[in-house]
Amino acid sequence: MKLTDIQSKVHSTFFKEHQKKLYQSLEDKHTTIEELDDGDPLTSKMILNMGPQHPATHGVLRLVLQLNGESIEKAKLDIGYLHRGVEKIAENKTYQEFMPYTDRMDYLSPYSNNVALCQAVEKLANVEVPERAHYIRMIGCELARISSHLLWLGTMVMDAGAVSFFIWTFKEREKIYDIMDRLTGHRFTVSHARIGGVANDITDEAMGAIKEFAETFPQELRDYHKLLDRNRIFIDRNEAVGVLKTEDALRFGATGPVLRASGFGLDIRKFAPYARYDEVEFKIPTRMEGDNLARYFVRMEEMSESVRIINQCIEKLPKGPVRTDNAKQAYPSKDEVYYSMEGMIHDFMMTDTGICPPEGAETYCAVEAPKGELGYYIQSDGTGHPWRLKVRAPSFANLQVLENIIDGEMVADTVVIIGGMDPVMGEADK
């Protein structure tokens, strides 16, 4: 028997078993939604598979819905269609080699992922980061937050029926991509953070583009509010839809804007400050309603606060190096590599072996990514690559919430609720 035939047979057997267990878990799921059975043909029950080949489910998220007419009685989520084994790959890479892989997890906010990993390694290996690098990282992270929220806004409003709004939000995202190109050399997967700092300093051209964006974007944000805040169609599609109570948000492990829109104002930038977030002033947007509309208002206010943080970082940006000057902990500058034998040797050693934290050391370090708490847990065996690396991805946590709040909703609201949760399957299916 050919290898391809064996693989096909194994896959077929696995998928059949997987299907059987998934439908059994749907049948066994307990819900507080009352089941209707009044003989009306319009309330007949059926099982509906939504996704994974569905544009509104990001092409890789599958929902199995038990319907009673147009109401959802029970829902189960089936993920894993984008699984790439990123955490296992990390165990076979040096810490710095693995960093570009983090761009491909939450690919709407790659800068946050870069910083999260680098901070975890710096904490594990006791690496000092220059002040200027901290502020550059904060500027990059807040630009990434705005970019991520803009895509959420455009797609969520489009799911509610307004296609043109998607184009308007992407106009501003293009400006951020241009800034990232000037700042990091890449538009999308930036790979700008380095263990011990950042890859390169911020240029005058990049600084000018950031200042211009911070000056003009608030007006764009005000225009978004004017169009949506009192729009009857938008309000009707989102108000009292996908309601998540505070106690349920905590019980299910919600994080980020999803948690804050349910009345629990937890933001790691405030409660466990990293970089230099304790030296800038900003508010934590919080709402009590817990519905899709509340999640909209929280993210809109967060974009405004991000602009406020960026302006403060520009004012406070100190002069100095952007990467630690320790050959055992960080890559040397290209000038050293090209014109110094020692620099070339250090560059080779960092590429071949990498930074080596103490054997037995372990750490957990988290940042407030656009979607919530993004944490890295690392265990070291004393070599240049992690013995274990696990990622606490906010989209994965919030999908647990989605499976529960969708019960009792109308099937027509499913797409809008998914948009309101704002999952990115690249990090959920890590």
Side-chain angles (χ1 to χ4, degrees), residues 130-133 135-136 201 313-321:
E131 285 292 304
R132 187 174 178 84
Y135 282 98
I136 293 174
D201 203 349
C313 287
I314 293 173
E315 291 177 5
K316 293 175 177 287
L317 187 66
K319 297 185 181 297

Side-chain angles (χ1 to χ4, degrees), residues 114-124 134 137 274-275 363 365-367:
N114 296 168
V115 171
L117 173 68
C118 289
Q119 285 192 167
V121 178
E122 288 156 5
K123 183 178 177 182
L124 188 71
H134 278 307
R137 285 180 176 183
Y274 54 94
T363 189
C365 185
V367 303

Side-chain angles (χ1 to χ4, degrees), residues 199-259:
N200 53 271
D201 203 349
I202 191 167
T203 63
D204 292 339
E205 183 185 15
M207 181 60 76
I210 293 169
K211 288 180 178 178
E212 182 181 357
F213 178 81
E215 183 179 346
T216 61
F217 181 67
Q219 180 57 50
E220 297 290 334
L221 206 53
R222 286 191 287 271
D223 290 343
Y224 299 159
H225 278 291
K226 287 179 182 179
L227 183 64
L228 296 174
D229 286 6
R230 299 178 64 186
N231 185 295
R232 179 45 50 197
I233 297 174
F234 183 74
I235 298 297
D236 287 347
R237 289 302 306 274
N238 289 279
E239 191 173 25
V241 171
V243 176
L244 177 65
K245 297 178 181 177
T246 307
E247 56 271 23
D248 290 335
L250 295 171
R251 182 160 60 95
F252 296 141
T255 184
V258 176
L259 178 62

Side-chain angles (χ1 to χ4, degrees), residues 34-263:
E34 295 184 6
E35 297 186 10
L36 303 174
D37 191 9
D38 55 7
D40 187 341
L42 294 179
T43 60
S44 59
K45 291 187 180 182
M46 68 176 294
I47 303 296
L48 176 68
N49 275 275
M50 183 178 177
Q53 288 84 10
H54 190 293
T57 65
H58 300 241
V60 285
L61 172 63
R62 178 187 175 198
L63 292 87
V64 183
L65 309 174
Q66 178 177 309
L67 303 181
N68 198 325
E70 294 191 22
S71 297
I72 301 170
E73 285 187 345
K74 300 178 182 179
K76 292 296 291 185
L77 266 62
D78 188 21
I79 66 173
Y81 291 89
L82 192 63
H83 186 63
R84 295 161 294 163
V86 171
E87 294 170 327
K88 183 56 67 174
I89 290 174
E91 297 170 12
N92 297 279
K93 301 284 184 183
T94 66
Y95 293 99
Q96 190 59 55
E97 279 179 333
F98 175 65
M99 194 273 293
Y101 284 82
T102 65
D103 288 293
R104 279 82 180 169
M105 290 184 0
D106 181 0
Y107 36 76
L108 304 182
S109 177
Y111 210 108
S112 301
N113 288 263
N114 296 168
V115 171
L117 173 68
C118 289
Q119 285 192 167
V121 178
E122 288 156 5
K123 183 178 177 182
L124 188 71
N126 195 27
V127 178
E128 290 291 331
V129 178
E131 285 292 304
R132 187 174 178 84
H134 278 307
Y135 282 98
I136 293 174
R137 285 180 176 183
M138 289 167 63
I139 292 172
C141 284
E142 295 309 314
L143 286 170
R145 191 182 314 279
I146 295 171
S147 176
S148 178
H149 285 353
L150 282 173
L151 187 132
W152 152 80
L153 180 62
T155 54
M156 197 267 284
V157 176
M158 184 171 63
D159 289 340
V163 178
S164 58
F165 199 88
F166 179 80
I167 307 299
W168 297 340
T169 58
F170 257 67
K171 183 188 72 170
E172 297 305 305
R173 290 190 83 237
E174 276 297 311
K175 294 178 183 178
I176 295 177
Y177 279 157
D178 289 342
I179 291 171
M180 287 298 178
D181 193 16
R182 294 184 176 97
L183 175 63
T184 71
H186 302 275
R187 285 166 55 86
F188 192 55
T189 48
V190 295
S191 300
H192 186 240
R194 293 290 185 273
I195 296 167
V198 293
N200 53 271
D201 203 349
I202 191 167
T203 63
D204 292 339
E205 183 185 15
M207 181 60 76
I210 293 169
K211 288 180 178 178
E212 182 181 357
F213 178 81
E215 183 179 346
T216 61
F217 181 67
Q219 180 57 50
E220 297 290 334
L221 206 53
R222 286 191 287 271
D223 290 343
Y224 299 159
H225 278 291
K226 287 179 182 179
L227 183 64
L228 296 174
D229 286 6
R230 299 178 64 186
N231 185 295
R232 179 45 50 197
I233 297 174
F234 183 74
I235 298 297
D236 287 347
R237 289 302 306 274
N238 289 279
E239 191 173 25
V241 171
V243 176
L244 177 65
K245 297 178 181 177
T246 307
E247 56 271 23
D248 290 335
L250 295 171
R251 182 160 60 95
F252 296 141
T255 184
V258 176
L259 178 62
R260 293 190 285 274
S262 294

